[in-house]
Amino acid sequence: MVMAPRKPRPHRDMLMDSVFAIVFVLVACVELCDAATVVDVYRLIQYDMSGVPFGSRLASLNHHAASLHFSPNSDLSRSVLLIPLRELNISFVKEYISESKPLGGLIFLLPQMFSFEKKGGVGSNHQDESKELLKNVLAELEQILIHANIPYPVYFAFEDDTIDAVLTDIKKNDASGQPATATTGGYKFVVSAPEPKKVVSPPISNIQGWLAGLKTDDSAQQLPTIAIVASYDTFGAAPALSVGSDSNGSGAVALLEVARLFSLLYSNPKTRGQYNLLFGLTSGGPYNYNGTRKWLRSLDQRLRESIDYAICLNSIGSWENDLWVHVSKPPENAYVKQIMEDFSGVAEELGFKVNLKHKKINISNPRVAWEHEQFSRLRVTAATLSELPTAPELLESTGGLVDSRHFVNEKAVIRSVKLIAESLARHIYGHQGKNIQIFADNSSLAVNPSYVRSWLDLFSQTSRVAPFFSKDDPFVASLKKELEEHTDEVNVHRDVLDGVFTFYDSTRAKLNIYQVASVTFDLLLLLVLGSYLIVLFSFLVITTRGLDDLISIFRRPPSRKVKTA
């Protein structure tokens, strides 16, 4: 049997193969310049205060990367500086911001210990000087950034092996005097983010629980009430990272444990006190305790008038030997004296000291330094228990990147709970001056360290900056549910944060890091690709039309005059 001769392969198939080859080369070239990595980044807060802009005013990035090793005469207007906190020079940042020097953007690399995913208490590490130094540097950096108007994007990211390797390459390029540019190559940082928009009607949610006291036959009038209050939100340079483990996670956790302890006492009519207990978890704390003011005004007037005094809890998770009771009413006030006597007696038994700090409020001044001042403005006696000896300035000591779980000591929170619970119990049950421990260790009414620890961990993993905290946020639901476990008549008072603040969205993004080839590489690639196309074209012409046709293509055509002749 004679086989038919094999037909030659159609030229069209050869052409298609060539096209596929070109596409392959192009894809390979693109892959050489593809993203080296993608990193989670968190934007510096953007807000207006009384119409004055503060924080980072842009979100998008598309610039070449540089490090602190850039040459002195470099133009950084189209560069993003990648700065590890460990190498940060505060004077450099102050200079660039105060003098408004041109810069494409800033990205600060934070150690992992400031991540809300980093678990574990301080223990002996709390005394580590290097960690304390980094904490102080970051706290100073935050204050500079949130009080400045910065016309370019500013982001935070966390150290890891991938971005550390990128930083090492960037440093090498800068040290060699060849920073990343269009001609030298290097790395390019790209953040694709929409223009930040104003947060319209930012919600706040105040959660309240109630433990009713026991009325006797001869107590026809309404029972007196003691309020225990703590704001649960926080503030920081990067809203998506601000968990406020101490300010004011510690205060809110202490409130939950106090509510749990007294729910055990009040569940039995024989041990239920003749005081109502009102528990309030408030929002808007960093903004003049805006939520506290709204919550108090929403209370029934008779309930508000029944409050003997209120104890506000603020930042009680990082102290060692001293706590402070801040009051607005004079120390001679009967309720203030009672609070101090109860606190001082219990503190002495527990081995530490409680100090009194009196600061008269100015009704005409809208600034509210402590939560108890909102009570005082409504003529309700109140005090704030805190580790802070002096009133912080606006937006200071309100959490931030430094306020992570790593720097909160749960033992300090437990001692604070013991102080509050024992002091209240002695007042409620008339045991003043008596060395009686109702919440003694190893008893059924002992403070539960596991409960405190678990809630501290949860607070330390939840960013809680009020304008970006939805009214339907699962965390608010969790707080409400927890109060329902230990108190009665739990309800959530929802309102809108108002005042002098306006906030903008876009708090987190993805940073695409591209390794960009230099122009030399691009020219070499173009030369190789062009040569390949010429050879391919010549081959196709020769195989289809012959060598003479190929030569005729490149031969100079005769002039029109010669052709006419």
Side-chain angles (χ1 to χ4, degrees):
M1 179 171 138
V2 181
M3 295 183 64
R6 189 173 181 180
K7 294 181 179 180
R9 196 173 177 191
H11 297 299
R12 183 177 179 182
D13 291 348
M14 297 176 63
L15 182 61
M16 291 299 296
D17 289 346
S18 302
V19 171
F20 285 135
I22 295 173
V23 171
F24 176 78
V25 173
L26 292 175
V27 170
C29 297
V30 171
E31 287 297 322
L32 290 174
C33 301
D34 202 359
T37 188
V38 179
V39 177
D40 291 320
V41 289
Y42 309 89
R43 193 168 75 101
L44 173 66
I45 194 167
Q46 178 181 351
Y47 68 100
D48 301 337
M49 186 164 59
S50 298
V52 180
F54 291 98
S56 175
R57 311 308 294 185
L58 293 176
S60 296
L61 267 179
N62 190 355
H63 299 308
H64 289 281
S67 70
L68 288 176
H69 297 270
F70 63 87
S71 58
N73 298 323
S74 298
D75 178 12
L76 299 179
S77 60
R78 298 289 297 170
S79 297
V80 182
L81 284 181
L82 184 62
I83 306 177
L85 183 67
R86 302 178 191 276
E87 303 175 10
L88 179 64
N89 184 334
I90 287 290
S91 299
F92 167 82
V93 177
K94 286 181 178 178
E95 177 186 350
Y96 259 78
I97 292 177
S98 62
E99 297 182 10
S100 301
K101 291 188 175 181
L103 192 62
L106 282 171
I107 298 178
F108 295 100
L109 279 183
L110 306 179
Q112 282 291 336
M113 67 178 176
F114 294 111
S115 170
F116 48 74
E117 296 178 354
K118 181 74 174 178
K119 297 182 180 179
V122 292
S124 60
N125 292 332
H126 189 55
Q127 305 301 327
D128 191 308
E129 292 184 2
S130 63
K131 292 179 180 178
E132 283 297 313
L133 179 60
L134 285 175
K135 179 182 177 182
N136 295 334
V137 170
L138 182 54
E140 186 177 357
L141 173 65
E142 279 195 272
Q143 288 303 306
I144 293 172
L145 295 177
I146 66 176
H147 290 107
N149 177 6
I150 305 177
Y152 44 79
V154 179
Y155 283 96
F156 298 90
F158 290 104
E159 296 174 342
D160 60 30
D161 293 340
T162 303
I163 200 165
D164 287 347
V166 171
L167 178 61
T168 300
D169 285 346
I170 295 172
K171 286 180 178 178
K172 288 180 180 178
N173 292 338
D174 290 348
S176 65
Q178 290 187 341
T181 63
T183 57
T184 61
Y187 287 90
K188 197 168 190 178
F189 288 170
V190 178
V191 174
S192 299
E195 182 181 354
K197 297 179 181 178
K198 292 182 180 180
V199 178
V200 181
S201 301
I204 53 175
S205 301
N206 301 308
I207 312 165
Q208 129 187 355
W210 177 263
L211 280 177
L214 181 65
K215 277 191 175 184
T216 59
D217 295 337
D218 57 348
S219 59
Q221 295 182 346
Q222 185 176 2
L223 290 176
T225 301
I226 297 176
I228 302 94
V229 186
S231 65
Y232 64 86
D233 58 353
T234 186
F235 179 87
L241 294 178
S242 301
V243 298
S245 298
D246 190 11
S247 177
N248 192 31
S250 62
V253 170
L255 181 145
L256 292 176
E257 175 64 349
V258 170
R260 187 190 70 82
L261 292 173
F262 274 95
S263 71
L264 298 175
L265 281 174
Y266 274 49
S267 63
N268 187 343
K270 294 182 179 180
T271 56
R272 188 185 304 171
Q274 294 184 1
Y275 275 83
N276 301 318
L277 293 179
L278 176 63
F279 296 91
L281 288 167
T282 60
S283 184
Y287 321 113
N288 287 324
Y289 296 96
N290 191 262
T292 307
R293 179 177 66 85
K294 291 176 176 290
W295 172 62
L296 286 174
R297 294 183 181 278
S298 73
L299 294 178
D300 183 82
Q301 185 176 353
R302 290 177 300 172
L303 170 58
R304 201 164 60 228
E305 291 174 351
S306 75
I307 299 176
D308 270 8
Y309 61 83
I311 301 296
C312 304
L313 311 179
N314 182 293
S315 301
I316 51 175
S318 300
W319 60 279
E320 295 182 2
N321 300 314
D322 290 87
L323 279 173
W324 295 82
V325 175
H326 299 271
V327 295
S328 300
K329 293 194 174 183
E332 297 78 21
N333 178 277
Y335 287 117
V336 172
K337 289 178 67 175
Q338 187 64 64
I339 294 170
M340 279 307 299
E341 287 176 6
D342 293 337
F343 276 10
S344 298
V346 174
E348 186 177 352
E349 295 170 15
L350 295 176
F352 55 88
K353 187 178 180 182
V354 174
N355 309 282
L356 180 67
K357 182 66 71 73
H358 171 236
K359 175 181 173 290
K360 189 176 180 180
I361 63 173
N362 182 1
I363 300 295
S364 61
N365 186 357
R367 170 79 174 105
V368 178
W370 297 109
E371 189 167 18
H372 73 264
E373 294 181 9
Q374 292 290 14
F375 287 83
S376 299
R377 288 167 184 258
L378 294 177
R379 303 185 182 281
V380 177
T381 303
T384 295
L385 182 68
S386 177
E387 68 204 12
L388 303 175
T390 57
E393 296 296 327
L394 184 64
L395 302 183
E396 290 185 4
S397 299
T398 53
L401 300 176
V402 298
D403 194 356
S404 65
R405 179 70 176 89
H406 189 81
F407 293 99
V408 174
N409 191 339
E410 63 194 52
K411 292 181 180 179
V413 180
I414 291 172
R415 288 198 296 168
S416 301
V417 172
K418 286 184 178 180
L419 170 68
I420 299 160
E422 290 288 357
S423 301
L424 291 177
R426 292 186 186 188
H427 181 76
I428 291 171
Y429 298 106
H431 293 159
Q432 291 95 337
K434 300 177 183 178
N435 190 2
I436 299 175
Q437 287 197 25
I438 296 177
F439 304 99
D441 294 339
N442 302 319
S443 71
S444 60
L445 293 175
V447 177
N448 188 339
S450 297
Y451 183 87
V452 172
R453 184 182 308 112
S454 62
W455 273 101
L456 273 178
D457 289 342
L458 182 57
F459 269 85
S460 301
Q461 296 167 25
T462 309
S463 57
R464 303 185 312 282
V465 176
F468 313 100
F469 208 46
S470 167
K471 64 180 180 180
D472 299 320
D473 193 283
F475 189 76
V476 175
S478 298
L479 292 178
K480 179 177 181 289
K481 182 179 179 181
E482 190 62 27
L483 269 186
E484 287 174 338
E485 291 286 330
H486 309 305
T487 63
D488 306 316
E489 302 178 32
V490 176
N491 59 72
V492 179
H493 172 255
R494 304 188 190 279
D495 213 309
V496 176
L497 181 69
D498 58 21
V500 299
F501 292 93
T502 301
F503 294 91
Y504 296 78
D505 60 11
S506 187
T507 60
R508 64 176 70 204
K510 295 287 186 181
L511 170 67
N512 294 279
I513 302 177
Y514 295 91
Q515 192 167 10
V516 183
S518 66
V519 170
T520 304
F521 175 83
D522 291 339
L523 292 175
L524 180 62
L525 182 62
L526 181 62
L527 179 62
V528 171
L529 186 59
S531 301
Y532 172 79
L533 292 176
I534 292 174
V535 171
L536 177 63
F537 176 78
S538 301
F539 174 77
L540 291 175
V541 172
I542 292 173
T543 55
T544 57
R545 300 182 180 180
L547 181 60
D548 292 339
D549 283 354
L550 176 65
I551 296 174
S552 65
I553 291 174
F554 296 100
R555 182 181 299 160
R556 183 178 179 182
S559 64
R560 186 170 298 176
K561 292 181 179 180
V562 174
K563 191 174 180 180
T564 304

